[in-house]
Amino acid sequence: DCVFRDSLPENVLGPNTLEVAHGKLGFTRVAVLYGDDDDYTRGDYDVFKTTLAVHGLQTVAVQTFQRGQKDFSAALSKVKESAPDAIILSAFVDEAAPILVQARHLGIPTSVRFIGGSGLITPGLIEKAGAAAEGLLAGAAWHVDSPA
C-alpha cells in the first residue's frame, strides 16, 4: 500500500552535486568516465553531460568502460592527457575502486577531484580504494534536520 524512496533520483542528485562542487572548487575542464553497458551509469552520464553544458564547463574527454573490467589504464591515460581539473565518474564500487587506484598510479593528482553520484556512496569503495579515494566527492541524499 505504500512506496518509500530512500534516495534521490540521479537527475536531482547529479546536478546539485556538480553545482556545489563547481561552486566550491571552481574547475572548468572536466573529463568523464562512465560505464556504457549499464542503465544506471549511462543515465548518470546523460544527467552529468546536460549539467556540464548548463554550467558552461568544458568537457575535455569522455571515456567508457564495462562492468567487470579490471584494467582502466588506456582510458585513464587519455583522461590524463586531456588535463582535466575534475573527473566525473559514473560507476559502482567494483569498477570505481580500481579506477581511483589506477588514476593515482598513472599520476593523476589528488587535486583533480573525482565527482560522482550515488553509485559511489559505499564504505566498500573507501576500503577498496584506500588513499586513492582521498578527495572523492559523491552526492548523497540527507536532510538538514537529521541528527545522523
Side-chain angles (χ1 to χ4, degrees):
D1 294 339
C2 298
V3 175
F4 296 93
R5 181 173 187 94
D6 62 359
S7 180
L8 290 173
E10 291 302 309
N11 66 341
V12 174
L13 187 64
N16 286 312
T17 301
L18 187 58
E19 184 176 330
V20 170
H22 177 249
K24 298 280 185 189
L25 302 174
F27 49 81
T28 57
R29 297 171 50 83
V30 180
V32 181
L33 276 147
Y34 74 98
D36 67 355
D37 62 345
D38 177 85
D39 288 341
Y40 167 81
T41 53
R42 271 194 321 264
D44 205 26
Y45 164 69
D46 290 339
V47 168
F48 276 115
K49 182 170 98 174
T50 301
T51 306
L52 290 168
V54 165
H55 290 287
L57 298 170
Q58 180 184 6
T59 302
V60 296
V62 177
Q63 294 293 309
T64 62
F65 57 86
Q66 289 74 48
R67 288 199 84 166
Q69 187 172 331
K70 301 293 182 207
D71 182 4
F72 302 92
S73 57
L76 288 167
S77 292
K78 290 179 182 175
V79 165
K80 182 181 177 185
E81 289 170 13
S82 71
D85 301 322
I87 301 169
I88 300 297
L89 178 59
S90 181
F92 293 110
V93 66
D94 289 340
E95 291 77 35
I99 286 171
L100 293 169
V101 170
Q102 291 172 33
R104 301 314 181 201
H105 284 169
L106 285 170
I108 297 174
T110 55
S111 61
V112 176
R113 299 291 190 96
F114 278 87
I115 302 166
S118 60
L120 302 178
I121 302 172
T122 172
L125 178 57
I126 305 303
E127 292 167 8
K128 290 180 178 183
E134 187 66 36
L136 170 68
L137 301 172
W142 65 282
H143 191 279
V144 70
D145 293 330
S146 173

